[in-house]
Amino acid sequence: MNSDTGVNLPALRSHNAALVLNLLRAAGEDGASRLELAERTGLTPQAVSKITARLRDEGLAVDAGRRASTGGKPRTVLRLVPGAAHAVGLHLDRDELTAVLVDLSGVVVAASVVPLDLGSGAEVVMEVVAGEVAALATRTVLGVGVAMPGPLDHAAGVPHRVTRFPEWDGFPLRDALARRLGLPVVLDKDTNAAALSIALSGAGGDSFAYLHLGTGLGAGLVLGGALYRGARTGAGEFGHQTIQLDGPVCGCGGRGCLEALCLAAVARGDLAEAARVLGAGAANLVKLLDIDRVLLGGRVVTGAAEPFVRGVRAVLEDRARRGGDPVVPVSLAEGSAHPVAEGAAQLILGPVFGR
């Protein structure tokens, strides 16, 4: 499934080309002149001319008319061609696969959701993935970003003992998929991908926690404007903090985990209790990391947004009053239909734009 595109991915990922591409993307339809690009990047006009010539040759940028100059002849304006290249983003959940095709401007141009049994074995899962990627990758594709439940090793591209599916432990998913698809593949946790998507949109601010409640419970952390994965890329296993020492057994093998208590409350239809438990975990994060905002997402939350937002907010406000701390805002993470899959696509596109 190798996409013979003519687009030079290593060249795109060069630092200077990324600077220019990011400015062209930010400029949108208005575009930018070479002189403006030179001024904003600090590159010489000659260097910008070489970069933009290559981008034009590869179809990534085109002339967009001329703009009046303060002196001399009018300047030629360039703009990005969003449809010149794309990235595929995949969300491998425990029971379904979401796939999106995203253009260079970050717009989703195609999407699909199909059933998936994450416990059916690596070969079966990769066959389903390959079929969805083939259906989407009818245009120039730079690579495939894959997001799945953790824990996993983002740097090595290897899942660990996924809760309830420990058989994934140590399987070289990134490399196996790359061979199968003939495309570059990046692997990350579902919560990290969603947090990345939110961070790039600017919706979460400089420091926030994204709490994802779906078939499991996890967190994506953005601290000081950067996605925080931890030294071993294991940060954000939010659902497996113990909050009840003698509590029920969790799928991870522990007892009294936040995830087990929260999902049990959801299963019996007690959303108020589920929100209270989620709020207790959120309050721990706020105290521990001094974050500015808590954002909620995942299928369970989006299906009943009001009681979850209200319930988590009530716990945080109560903790803040008792501790004399500022109240941290709580809201639903909004802005995209498939935040995890779209964030997975940004794992490919982000480096192209130096982000």
Side-chain angles (χ1 to χ4, degrees), residues 156-245:
V158 175
H160 292 317
R161 294 179 62 84
V162 178
T163 306
R164 299 196 296 278
F165 299 103
E167 63 271 22
W168 281 97
D169 188 17
F171 180 76
L173 180 60
R174 181 193 63 196
D175 294 345
L177 264 183
R179 288 192 299 269
R180 182 73 167 262
L181 302 175
L183 290 165
V185 174
V186 179
L187 177 68
D188 208 340
K189 287 200 295 189
D190 46 10
T191 49
N192 286 344
L196 176 63
S197 179
I198 294 167
L200 290 176
S201 74
D206 193 54
S207 295
F208 67 87
Y210 167 74
L211 308 184
H212 184 95
L213 180 59
T215 57
L217 174 60
L221 304 173
V222 171
L223 306 176
L227 181 65
Y228 182 74
R229 295 186 176 94
R232 289 163 295 280
T233 75
E237 288 301 309
F238 170 74
H240 299 294
Q241 54 178 300
T242 301
I243 63 171
Q244 185 179 330
L245 291 177

Side-chain angles (χ1 to χ4, degrees), residues 296-317:
L296 307 180
R299 275 186 280 165
V300 173
V301 169
T302 56
E306 198 277 332
F308 274 102
V309 171
R310 183 182 68 244
V312 172
R313 181 182 292 143
V315 175
L316 291 183
E317 288 176 349

Side-chain angles (χ1 to χ4, degrees), residues 98-101 108-113 132 136 337-338 342:
T98 302
V100 297
L101 184 70
V108 175
V109 297
S112 65
V113 181
E132 291 305 299
L136 289 176
H338 309 293
E342 291 177 41

Side-chain angles (χ1 to χ4, degrees), residues 2-9 58 84-86 139-142 183:
N2 198 350
S3 183
D4 185 11
T5 67
V7 174
N8 187 336
L9 185 56
E58 294 185 346
H86 300 77
R139 316 179 193 194
T140 302
V141 173
L142 298 175
L183 290 165

Side-chain angles (χ1 to χ4, degrees), residues 66-136:
R66 291 180 179 272
R67 181 178 299 158
S69 172
T70 55
K73 63 181 182 180
R75 300 172 184 173
T76 300
V77 175
L78 298 172
R79 67 170 177 84
L80 183 72
V81 180
H86 300 77
V88 173
L90 303 176
H91 178 193
L92 274 65
D93 208 344
R94 292 173 175 85
D95 59 355
E96 69 180 20
L97 167 65
T98 302
V100 297
L101 184 70
V102 177
D103 70 15
L104 291 176
S105 65
V107 173
V108 175
V109 297
S112 65
V113 181
V114 299
L116 177 74
D117 178 5
L118 198 60
S120 59
E123 285 303 317
V124 173
V125 169
M126 288 199 298
E127 184 68 25
V128 175
V129 166
E132 291 305 299
V133 173
L136 289 176

